[in-house]
Amino acid sequence: MGQFRFLTGGESHGKGLVAIVEGMVAALPLKEGYINKELMRRQQGYGRGPRMKIEEDKAEIIAGVRYGLTTGSPIALFITNRDWQNWQEQLSISPVEKEIEPVTCPRPGHADLAGLTKYGLKDIRPIMERASARETATRVAVGAIARRFLEELGIAIHSRTVVIGSVSHEPSASLCEAGSMDWQQVEVSPVRCAHAELEKAMMAAIDEAKANGDTLGGIFEVISTGVPIGLGSHVSWDRRLDGRIAQAIMSINAVKGVEIGAGFALAERKGSQAHDVIEPGPRSKAKGFPWRRATNRAGGIEGGISNGEDIIVRAAIKPIATLANPLPSIDLSSGEIAKAHYERSDICVVPAAGVIAESMLAVVLADACLEKFGGDNLKETLTNYRNYLSNIS
Ligand code: EPS
């Protein structure tokens, strides 16, 4: 663990966002355009707020790439916040003469109250700036580097929306078959849902929430295909792949629940109905093993180790905590009852959260692949990977 790691910095309305990525192999072809395509996907989605009309997220590669290939050195990225133009005084690095009104009415559901108390502040602004999901732009840029590497190993990652508000795609136990999903349709859907009728219903639910000054949560699903058997390990708690994925997905702003495979639905089943029967099958060139599974309720992970099936993760995301029609709170400067702070917000971020989760899954899988196959340059890693597959007995 920790072969591939990153740190981010930046405030929502500061000058920009930065990331430093360490551990990627040398000689991986990488272009800014590839990263920016992913950043564009994160900005989409019906229910996004006015900020997304201001921004046009683009990552500038500052270090770690030469002549289109990674060098093995840390990769440094910078994403400009266009909106900074309008926030230069509030987010000034040096003290300013003008009196800036502090934010003192915490939003229930946001980091405001606990963050302000923990850091001993009188103004919520520094907390809300860093707790904002704007930070996920850097995660998607980093995830794009991980995804580029995984592509070389034949691993792909997709996401789709399963639930928005009370509009549900299907019973929670039925899992998407990656092979049968129309991913192109998902990509052009404003809510990342390939089912036309549900797509309409989801958009109508978002319109209704907007009209009421409210917000909506939901559930998204992330699927990775082509994952080799043997990533992660059963031997220690922090090596388990499912635990590592759960932490990465749970760390996405507003996520409140994560399940792998049939997840929570498995609690209600008998053992005979919960597991995935092992059947003999021809040796697969891509997977390296001569068996197949009748189902994939485990979501591609058994005992904390990838089992060669698609990895399927779902997560529940709560409605955004910034409401146009704010909830009651208190003004911390006076102790009086007051409405929670509101500037502007998204109505629903479930589709964007799916893209962010793809990125986080890519980071975990790239890390697990580098841990398993090693190598300091792409050729070395690919040689090790092919050797491993051809030696599975
Ligand atoms: C976001 C930028 C933010 C929000 C959103 C995500 O911009 P602003 O605060 O200027 O409107 O749109 O942040 C939140 C959902 C949140 O709760 O903080 C982005 O770039 O994704």
Side-chain angles (χ1 to χ4, degrees):
M1 289 147 299
Q3 304 292 314
F4 179 74
R5 56 197 183 131
F6 71 97
L7 268 181
T8 73
E11 278 75 40
S12 179
H13 304 100
K15 189 169 183 179
L17 304 162
V18 294
I20 297 188
V21 184
E22 206 234 32
M24 182 42 67
V25 294
L28 176 75
L30 182 66
K31 290 189 178 133
E32 283 177 355
Y34 182 89
I35 300 174
N36 294 339
K37 220 176 72 211
E38 295 303 318
L39 287 174
M40 164 76 103
R41 290 178 69 229
R42 191 199 75 98
Q43 287 201 267
Q44 308 302 309
Y46 197 72
R48 292 288 256 154
R51 177 74 184 272
M52 289 304 103
K53 295 194 172 69
I54 301 172
E55 302 298 340
E56 199 187 313
D57 292 339
K58 289 205 162 42
E60 189 185 345
I61 301 174
I62 306 288
V65 177
R66 184 168 187 246
Y67 304 145
L69 297 176
T70 56
T71 62
S73 304
I75 301 168
L77 304 168
F78 181 74
I79 301 169
T80 297
N81 283 328
R82 283 190 171 192
D83 203 20
W84 181 59
Q85 301 299 338
N86 309 312
W87 290 79
Q88 295 196 36
E89 280 183 317
Q90 285 100 322
L91 272 293
S92 170
I93 304 287
S94 320
V96 289
E97 302 255 305
K98 189 176 149 187
E99 198 157 317
I100 306 291
E101 204 182 323
V103 179
T104 55
C105 300
R107 295 161 294 173
H110 230 291
D112 302 353
L113 184 58
L116 168 126
T117 308
K118 177 178 166 67
Y119 288 93
L121 303 171
K122 295 262 178 275
D123 183 358
I124 294 167
R125 175 64 59 197
I127 304 300
M128 58 196 288
E129 285 293 325
R130 185 60 188 162
S132 166
R134 176 90 193 125
E135 186 264 347
T136 61
T138 38
R139 301 208 214 177
V140 170
V142 173
I145 299 172
R147 184 193 292 265
R148 186 67 275 290
F149 168 71
L150 294 172
E151 273 176 3
E152 299 282 347
L153 276 66
I155 301 171
I157 302 180
H158 301 280
S159 71
R160 66 181 183 124
T161 298
V162 183
V163 173
I164 285 185
S166 57
V167 184
S168 173
H169 210 166
E170 63 225 14
S172 65
S174 76
L175 293 166
C176 165
E177 292 283 335
S180 62
M181 180 53 58
D182 184 347
W183 293 115
Q184 271 175 347
Q185 192 54 41
V186 170
E187 288 304 315
V188 296
S189 163
V191 283
R192 301 189 61 75
C193 170
H195 189 295
E197 247 170 68
L198 286 166
E199 174 188 88
K200 259 213 271 149
M202 286 173 180
M203 289 165 77
I206 293 168
D207 288 340
E208 195 188 326
K210 186 176 182 180
N212 296 328
D214 221 325
T215 57
L216 281 182
I219 296 176
F220 59 79
E221 182 176 80
V222 192
I223 296 183
S224 183
T225 59
V227 181
I229 189 167
L231 301 183
S233 176
H234 63 291
V235 300
S236 291
W237 70 271
D238 56 348
R239 292 184 185 278
R240 288 182 174 259
L241 189 65
D242 39 9
R244 290 155 69 177
I245 291 172
Q247 196 218 335
I249 305 295
M250 186 64 102
S251 76
I252 298 168
N253 313 46
V255 167
K256 288 303 241 183
V258 179
E259 64 177 5
I260 294 185
F264 283 84
L266 288 174
E268 295 165 13
R269 296 200 183 182
K270 297 198 172 75
S272 56
Q273 302 300 308
H275 301 290
D276 305 309
V277 169
I278 304 167
E279 299 170 339
R283 188 178 292 276
S284 145
K285 194 163 177 274
K287 295 186 174 186
F289 51 77
W291 60 80
R292 59 175 181 229
R293 309 305 286 260
T295 50
N296 185 17
R297 294 159 179 155
I301 303 175
E302 291 170 302
I305 312 174
S306 63
N307 66 6
E309 303 305 308
D310 293 345
I311 290 191
I312 305 178
V313 188
R314 285 184 177 190
I317 189 161
K318 69 184 178 182
I320 294 295
T322 314
L323 305 181
N325 188 7
L327 286 171
S329 179
I330 53 169
D331 187 333
L332 294 168
S333 63
S334 64
E336 301 290 315
I337 291 173
K339 286 196 164 189
H341 183 76
Y342 177 74
E343 264 152 25
R344 66 178 169 210
S345 183
D346 302 296
I347 310 300
C348 175
V349 294
V350 181
V355 175
I356 299 158
E358 288 178 36
S359 311
M360 292 308 288
L361 183 59
V363 166
V364 175
L365 293 179
D367 181 40
C369 285
L370 287 164
E371 167 191 297
K372 173 95 182 91
F373 305 116
D376 292 302
N377 63 73
L378 183 62
K379 196 170 158 205
E380 190 185 358
T381 306
L382 290 177
T383 304
N384 296 346
Y385 178 52
R386 288 181 197 124
N387 270 344
Y388 167 71
L389 289 185
S390 63
N391 282 319
I392 293 176
S393 49

